[in-house]
Amino acid sequence: MKAFSKMLSLVSRMSDSGEKRSAVMDYFRKAESPEAAWAVWLLSGNKIKKWTTLRVLQQWCLDTTQLPNWLFEESYNLAGDLAETIALIVGQTGETDTMKLKMLMEEILIPFSQADEIVKKDIIIKTWKSLDTDSVYVLNKLLTGTFKTKISQSMLCKALAEVGGLQESVVMHRLSHVFTPTEESYNALMSPITQENESSRPFPFYQGFPMDPAIQTTDIQEWQAEWMWNGFRAQLIHHAGEVFIWSEEEGLMVDRFPEIEQSAQILSEDGIMDGVILAWKDGKPLPLSALQKRISSASVSNKLLKEFPVVFIAFDILSVAGSDCRSQPLFWRRQYLNQILGLSGPDILVSPVLESSDWQQLELLKEQAHEHCANGIVLKRKDSPYLEWKQKGDWWEWKKNPYTVTAVLLYAAKPRGKHYANFTELTFGLWNDLELVSFAKATSTLNHVENAYVNNFVRRYTVEKTGPVYTVEPKLIFEIAFDDLQPSSRHKIGMAVIRPRIVRLRNDLDIYHADEIERLIHILKRK
Amino acid sequence: MPMTDPLSPPLLQINENGLFCQVGNFYIDPWRSVDFAVITHGHSDHAKAHSRAYLCAKPSASILRIRLGKHINLQTLPYGESITHNGVKISLHPAGHILGSAQVRVEYKGEVWVVTGDYKREPDLTCDPFEPVPCHTLVTESTFGLPIFNWPNPEEVHKDINAWWDYNAIQGKICILFAYSLGKAQRLLSQLDANIGPIHTNPAISAINKAYEAEGVYLPNLDNSSGDARPGSLLIVPPSYLNSRFTESHYINTTAHASGWMALKGMQIQNRSDRGFVLSDHADWKGLLQTVEDCNPEKVLVTHGFVEPLVKYLNETGVQAYALNTPYQAESPILREQNE
């Protein structure tokens, strides 16, 4: 357990992915199989039932240490993380840690998850006392369902593959089936003997690059334009009567999208298609948040299937009947895609080609992207092969211009746990009748001169300080850009602002130039 | 011990020059030049130049001469021995902070005050261990005066550092370890495994090393050959070298900080080095409370660090405590350690 927690703690502050991977590999090289099995299970995103909340853990921590709450809060304010604060206070610093991850999971966390609060409290306080600080931190995260790591599925697979001397896709494929955290499963996962059904794997995903303005000087007829779908990039593989969906981010996804799998079963030929998964209802895409709800749920219930159905929007075909066709030109592949998908089920669609005779017309179309749940337009050279992802040149992403509003700074805060920092956590407001209401929070991307200006402003015009948040006099005006709006009941103004960011300070304007909430409502309605 | 008279003026109090003993007419770690300064240790926020006479613990002498000038008027005192200055008995006792660091015990008419200076309770091969000194009034530091600061066993930390170096040496990297040139650097050096590779330091650290070696502290041999460090070597440099031309020029390198602040993940990230080792020369939370318990004072004065929380906590647990305000107080405790 100690080695596992230490590895996670190291990885959490590494930025270089090569280093992270070698830390993960280092752990698996030294770990015993029963421990490694649980580590794989946890790192693959499996979760235990949530025991309690961090605030309850805080209370247990106070009860066992007899520390006053104000002193805990003072500490929390410095550390900036509740689970960490508790870990630093109760974690053992001596050589007492003999707890195994397997023991923690199998003898404590799983059997007692339904126990009474009193029993749970006793168990956890006792367990804390047998763990070092890093392990208490991991335990706190597991207990509260907030366990997250900086180790992606593909990094885990790469690391395991290297440790076991296997191909990465073999590990990914094996991990795609339900992994039971036992010694036997772990040994099977790392077994050098490859089985037959492990052969259906995706190609590297080709990536578009941000639009180069020079493209607009070329002949528009050389390009195929499509929506830049705001979804989940994936390859759909139909192989020997089986269907596999490989997401670009998360690898093989099993049983997550039954409707797409069923539709793909009907395909007459084996093939690999590149495309995007979107939540889709009544012939229209749903916002990205719908897809996120669908994906974030551990199992796909009937309710979820009904509420957020998904489709696969195919835009390319990479292999036909077992042979790689990536070197064929795009227009050939597109024709073949249309042909092969003529025979699929209803939940696989072809990404439509956007026709326009000149660049101005296309640019106007691009600004309507949000009505199609897209971020803009992708241009693909019609005679291009499907390249490996590192090569630039054939796909260009032409993003829709963001929306912008003029807003007033209402609140400012420093990032928690960062005492030197500038006031970079800024909250902005818009007019609602005669009142300014907050509508978006953005992290400052200003340069250091402007940041210093904001710092001075906050110091001078703070009217109230609540915890880390400084309420300032409404005086300072900013231009704020954002990508999109989504209806949201959690937000006071009834909508969530997607990716708000600061464009610039507007010292030349006063607060009566700020926009009204009405403007956002108008944008939302237009969609 | 006799009880102190509540009506008499305090034996030590802050004035514009520093912590002053009026009856004895001397200062402890003054921040301005004075006639007679008792110095707890050589860090720059405790030892200021230009006083007319100094008193320090014997092992601290060469450090003070490096820091304050060769020709200062310096009197030294072995640990545990005392002198009488204007009728006030002064003795110095090991504080375990760095080589020569001392707690100052001041006694007048049976009343005893102890000023800890900076101290730690963990073992350190480069200095004498902290000795609790019973007193009526204890003046304690509080750099890490929050319950989240609990130091891991330093032996384990030193093992981790060697393992980190060994691992990176095999990868052909140069390891850069940031540490204050006085104290932390030598503490680290004393525990490095010189079999792993060559060790380098910058000139400021090398100068202090000599003072340590003259006091009989064992430090490993350094590679002082000119030219760039070879892959596999370890460099100890002050934190000010971070993001300087120096670190950039060693392009295949990996960096680490060794400090108590590394206990906080957020602080590790802000420091922008690749690793953080939790190794402090200050007392942790338990160390501070243990010291109050060991010295069993009637009154505690808290300075240098998280003053408010420690004062409040001590009072709530039945120990009479007050803040002792110094100019260092206003600064963030985080800045303070970096000033050393």
Side-chain angles (χ1 to χ4, degrees):
Chain A
M1 170 97 201
K2 193 173 182 175
F4 179 66
S5 311
K6 189 164 185 177
M7 179 271 286
L8 291 178
S9 156
L10 283 180
V11 166
S12 73
R13 58 183 307 263
M14 289 177 171
S15 47
D16 182 271
S17 61
E19 260 182 73
K20 281 189 217 170
R21 199 171 67 229
S22 66
V24 177
M25 279 161 42
D26 222 39
Y27 168 75
F28 281 108
R29 281 212 182 96
K30 291 176 191 153
E32 294 160 8
S33 298
E35 290 289 281
W38 275 106
V40 168
W41 190 82
L42 285 170
L43 295 177
S44 311
N46 290 298
K47 288 207 155 72
I48 56 159
K49 222 171 154 46
K50 182 176 166 179
W51 274 47
T52 184
T53 63
L54 278 168
R55 287 294 178 184
V56 170
L57 288 185
Q58 172 179 352
Q59 195 50 53
W60 294 354
C61 167
L62 294 178
D63 290 347
T64 174
T65 57
Q66 296 291 308
L67 287 177
N69 189 51
W70 65 263
L71 188 55
F72 184 96
E73 291 292 338
E74 190 96 30
S75 303
Y76 171 35
N77 200 33
L78 184 76
D81 180 309
L82 211 45
E84 187 190 345
T85 307
I86 297 168
L88 285 168
I89 291 175
V90 302
Q92 301 300 305
T93 51
E95 275 299 87
T96 53
D97 178 37
T98 49
M99 177 71 83
K100 299 267 185 213
L101 186 58
K102 181 182 162 74
M103 198 158 102
L104 180 74
M105 301 300 295
E106 293 179 9
E107 291 169 32
I108 298 173
L109 293 185
I110 294 169
F112 289 100
S113 69
Q114 303 294 344
D116 289 344
E117 195 80 355
I118 311 248
V119 177
K120 280 183 175 175
K121 177 177 166 181
D122 270 3
I123 291 172
I124 292 309
I125 288 177
K126 219 172 101 205
T127 311
W128 275 344
K129 289 184 177 154
S130 68
L131 295 175
D132 67 293
T133 306
D134 285 337
S135 301
V136 174
Y137 180 75
V138 170
L139 171 61
N140 291 349
K141 291 294 203 179
L142 289 172
L143 289 172
T144 52
T146 52
F147 179 77
K148 262 191 302 205
T149 69
K150 278 194 166 181
I151 301 163
S152 67
Q153 193 66 13
S154 83
M155 183 183 294
L156 175 67
C157 290
K158 273 198 189 103
L160 290 171
E162 211 166 323
V163 170
L166 298 162
Q167 275 190 30
E168 187 192 335
S169 50
V170 169
V171 174
M172 205 172 243
H173 198 275
R174 290 177 182 176
L175 260 187
S176 63
H177 302 292
V178 176
F179 179 82
T180 46
T182 60
E183 190 172 0
E184 295 72 44
S185 304
Y186 181 72
N187 292 338
L189 175 69
M190 302 299 270
S191 159
I193 303 148
T194 312
Q195 282 153 15
E196 165 60 22
N197 68 352
E198 293 179 341
S199 56
S200 40
R201 285 176 236 136
F203 290 110
F205 286 84
Y206 182 64
Q207 302 289 355
F209 284 80
M211 178 68 169
D212 179 343
I215 301 300
Q216 289 182 63
T217 62
T218 61
D219 182 359
I220 198 166
Q221 296 309 324
E222 290 175 19
W223 301 92
Q224 171 184 308
E226 292 168 50
W227 292 121
M228 192 176 136
W229 298 105
N230 197 2
F232 211 59
R233 180 91 181 265
Q235 287 180 31
L236 178 64
I237 301 178
H238 182 239
H239 175 82
E242 276 194 279
V243 177
F244 305 92
I245 297 171
W246 288 78
S247 129
E248 186 186 10
E249 304 239 316
E250 308 203 355
L252 189 53
M253 316 225 11
V254 181
D255 299 335
R256 306 307 298 272
F257 307 113
E259 57 268 67
I260 297 175
E261 286 174 21
Q262 270 168 30
S263 283
Q265 295 286 0
I266 317 171
L267 289 170
S268 56
E269 274 187 272
D270 282 1
I272 301 182
M273 279 166 283
D274 188 7
V276 177
I277 294 168
L278 280 184
W280 189 277
K281 205 174 188 177
D282 306 327
K284 270 197 321 216
L286 296 173
L288 188 63
S289 55
L291 184 65
Q292 279 159 347
K293 269 182 204 143
R294 170 74 186 257
I295 288 169
S296 62
S297 167
S299 66
V300 186
S301 63
N302 277 338
K303 181 168 169 277
L304 209 56
L305 274 176
K306 239 183 216 149
E307 211 172 335
F308 306 116
V310 294
V311 295
F312 182 78
I313 300 200
F315 50 63
D316 215 328
I317 188 156
L318 314 180
S319 158
V320 178
S323 73
D324 181 354
C325 62
R326 290 178 300 164
S327 55
Q328 297 286 351
L330 175 63
F331 64 84
W332 184 94
R333 300 199 307 271
R334 175 50 83 136
Q335 246 175 10
Y336 210 90
L337 183 67
N338 288 335
Q339 210 174 323
I340 200 171
L341 287 186
L343 297 169
S344 69
D347 297 314
I348 302 181
L349 309 170
V350 181
S351 174
V353 171
L354 306 172
E355 300 294 347
S356 58
S357 49
D358 59 54
W359 290 106
Q360 280 85 0
Q361 200 189 343
L362 194 61
E363 190 161 8
L364 284 176
L365 195 59
K366 166 175 82 90
E367 293 307 315
Q368 297 164 24
H370 278 173
E371 295 162 33
H372 302 267
C373 194
N375 291 331
I377 282 176
V378 187
L379 295 165
K380 298 175 181 173
R381 199 188 293 276
K382 283 182 185 164
D383 60 4
S384 64
Y386 188 96
L387 294 172
E388 302 272 324
W389 64 276
K390 276 172 197 149
Q391 291 160 292
K392 183 169 176 173
D394 291 327
W395 292 13
W396 300 97
E397 296 181 345
W398 202 11
K399 281 198 173 170
K400 181 198 163 301
N401 294 324
Y403 300 105
T404 59
V405 288
T406 306
V408 189
L409 179 67
L410 297 182
Y411 311 106
K414 295 181 177 189
R416 211 183 231 289
K418 297 193 177 174
H419 301 268
Y420 289 132
N422 293 318
F423 289 97
T424 53
E425 307 304 308
L426 308 177
T427 306
F428 302 96
L430 298 177
W431 290 108
N432 187 17
D433 289 333
L434 293 173
E435 201 191 356
L436 283 163
V437 291
S438 69
F439 86 104
K441 191 173 161 188
T443 300
S444 165
T445 45
L446 298 168
N447 65 35
H448 68 276
V449 177
E450 293 165 319
N451 269 328
Y453 184 86
V454 173
N455 283 345
N456 284 335
F457 175 86
V458 173
R459 290 213 182 88
R460 186 154 165 212
Y461 292 107
T462 294
V463 290
E464 197 191 334
K465 185 172 177 271
T466 322
V469 180
Y470 293 69
T471 306
V472 296
E473 274 181 52
K475 267 179 184 298
L476 203 57
I477 310 300
F478 287 84
E479 188 177 322
I480 306 295
F482 57 90
D483 283 350
D484 201 3
L485 294 170
Q486 277 179 13
S488 158
S489 52
R490 281 190 304 120
H491 293 79
K492 209 164 44 176
I493 55 164
M495 55 192 124
V497 180
I498 308 300
R499 225 165 74 75
R501 57 219 185 250
I502 296 166
V503 183
R504 60 190 165 139
L505 247 168
R506 290 300 301 265
N507 275 332
D508 52 326
L509 301 179
D510 66 41
I511 57 167
Y512 300 102
H513 288 96
D515 281 308
E516 301 198 1
I517 288 283
E518 198 53 38
R519 187 138 175 252
L520 301 189
I521 296 169
H522 185 70
I523 293 172
L524 195 61
K525 269 192 194 146
R526 237 185 22 211
K527 284 178 42 176
Chain B
M1 270 187 221
M3 292 297 286
T4 53
D5 176 5
L7 295 176
S8 64
L11 192 51
L12 296 172
Q13 57 191 323
I14 293 284
N15 70 15
E16 68 280 9
N17 298 325
L19 185 57
F20 183 50
C21 177
Q22 199 172 355
V23 278
N25 192 23
F26 64 87
Y27 286 84
I28 298 171
D29 292 350
W31 47 81
R32 294 220 182 105
S33 65
V34 297
D35 287 337
F36 192 79
V38 183
I39 301 297
T40 60
H41 66 284
H43 281 143
S44 59
D45 53 342
H46 293 261
K48 301 280 185 195
H50 309 305
S51 281
R52 281 164 284 283
Y54 291 96
L55 173 71
C56 74
K58 201 164 169 293
S60 193
S62 32
I63 294 169
L64 282 200
R65 289 192 198 279
I66 293 172
R67 289 271 165 135
L68 305 181
K70 270 187 190 145
H71 304 296
I72 52 171
N73 173 10
L74 179 64
Q75 184 184 352
T76 65
L77 198 58
Y79 285 131
E81 290 182 17
S82 61
I83 58 160
T84 304
H85 189 82
N86 297 332
V88 177
K89 192 171 146 193
I90 304 172
S91 59
L92 303 174
H93 305 267
H97 178 58
I98 61 168
L99 176 66
S101 63
Q103 307 173 71
V104 183
R105 181 183 184 278
V106 176
E107 182 179 347
Y108 181 67
K109 289 187 178 170
E111 183 184 350
V112 178
W113 284 51
V114 168
V115 178
T116 62
D118 291 341
Y119 66 99
K120 69 168 173 289
R121 305 292 306 251
E122 283 70 28
D124 176 346
L125 291 180
T126 65
C127 61
D128 288 318
F130 179 93
E131 280 171 19
V133 182
C135 55
H136 298 103
T137 301
L138 177 73
V139 180
T140 179
E141 64 136 324
S142 58
T143 310
F144 290 103
L146 286 176
I148 43 178
F149 295 111
N150 294 300
W151 304 146
N153 182 350
E155 224 172 281
E156 291 290 304
V157 179
H158 288 300
K159 257 191 228 162
D160 278 358
I161 294 173
N162 280 321
W164 164 76
W165 179 19
D166 192 31
Y167 178 82
N168 284 293
I170 291 166
Q171 320 265 315
K173 288 188 181 176
I174 296 171
C175 293
I176 297 177
L177 191 50
F178 296 107
Y180 308 112
S181 35
L182 167 56
K184 188 65 69 61
Q186 290 73 29
R187 185 182 183 194
L188 289 166
L189 280 170
S190 73
Q191 299 269 5
L192 285 175
D193 180 356
N195 295 322
I196 298 172
I199 304 169
H200 305 257
T201 57
N202 80 325
I205 294 176
S206 303
I208 304 282
N209 287 351
K210 291 212 181 79
Y212 268 66
E213 283 167 334
E215 285 298 325
V217 175
Y218 169 79
L219 297 177
N221 286 329
L222 301 185
D223 182 346
N224 285 327
S225 59
S226 55
D228 282 345
R230 289 199 309 275
S233 44
L234 182 139
L235 284 75
I236 300 189
V237 295
S240 54
Y241 276 54
L242 183 63
N243 297 333
S244 69
R245 245 195 6 241
F246 171 81
T247 40
E248 278 162 22
S249 66
H250 293 87
Y251 62 99
I252 317 172
N253 66 37
T254 182
T255 56
H257 272 82
S259 152
W261 298 108
M262 295 301 109
L264 304 181
K265 282 191 175 42
M267 216 63 84
Q268 287 191 21
I269 290 161
Q270 269 181 74
N271 257 310
R272 290 177 197 199
S273 59
D274 303 317
R275 274 292 287 269
F277 297 106
V278 184
L279 191 76
S280 176
D281 290 327
H282 294 271
D284 62 0
W285 176 252
K286 290 189 182 105
L288 293 168
L289 298 183
Q290 186 65 49
T291 303
V292 171
E293 196 183 318
D294 291 346
C295 299
N296 194 23
E298 289 163 10
K299 190 163 77 181
V300 178
L301 301 179
V302 181
T303 178
H304 286 98
F306 288 100
V307 173
E308 301 297 328
L310 186 58
V311 166
K312 190 170 171 191
Y313 181 76
L314 286 174
N315 280 309
E316 283 183 10
T317 50
V319 179
Q320 202 188 137
Y322 303 91
L324 184 71
N325 293 311
T326 69
Y328 296 103
Q329 191 82 39
E331 283 176 13
S332 150
I334 298 154
L335 269 178
R336 209 181 80 72
E337 201 190 39
Q338 296 187 346
N339 276 339
E340 294 174 357

